[in-house]
Amino acid sequence: MCHAVTSLLSDMSVNAAVHELDRDPRGREMERELARMLGCRVPAVPAVFIGGDLVGGTNRVMALHLAGELVPMLKSAGALWL
């Protein structure tokens, strides 16, 4: 699912910063904290932040996109210049 979100953002010309938690020594700890922040029991990746705010995972990002709310969020954060 990380690839789907990364591809979506890339197709929108958003230069997303991607952090590979499986390559970070503290990755498991970060996954647990993200799951706690999102109220999940399972690892919460991808965890998408826009403008420093935690938006959610794949389902939330796709729902925002389909509802036409993702582009305004990205514009507001300065991540998209359309």
Side-chain angles (χ1 to χ4, degrees):
M1 298 317 293
C2 296
H3 177 72
V5 172
T6 303
S7 293
L8 172 66
L9 295 174
S10 178
D11 289 348
M12 298 170 80
S13 299
V14 172
N15 188 17
V18 177
H19 301 278
E20 301 285 344
L21 298 184
D22 57 343
R23 296 183 183 181
D24 190 298
R26 297 179 308 138
R28 293 267 187 224
E29 178 184 337
M30 287 187 265
E31 281 183 2
R32 283 191 298 271
E33 181 60 19
L34 289 167
R36 185 195 65 76
M37 292 170 71
L38 291 169
C40 305
R41 291 185 185 193
V42 296
V45 290
V48 178
F49 289 79
I50 298 176
D53 296 322
L54 179 58
V55 173
T58 303
N59 290 343
R60 177 75 174 132
V61 171
M62 294 302 180
L64 288 168
H65 180 55
L66 292 173
E69 298 173 20
L70 183 60
V71 168
M73 287 177 78
L74 292 167
K75 283 182 182 178
S76 178
L80 185 62
W81 301 279
L82 285 177

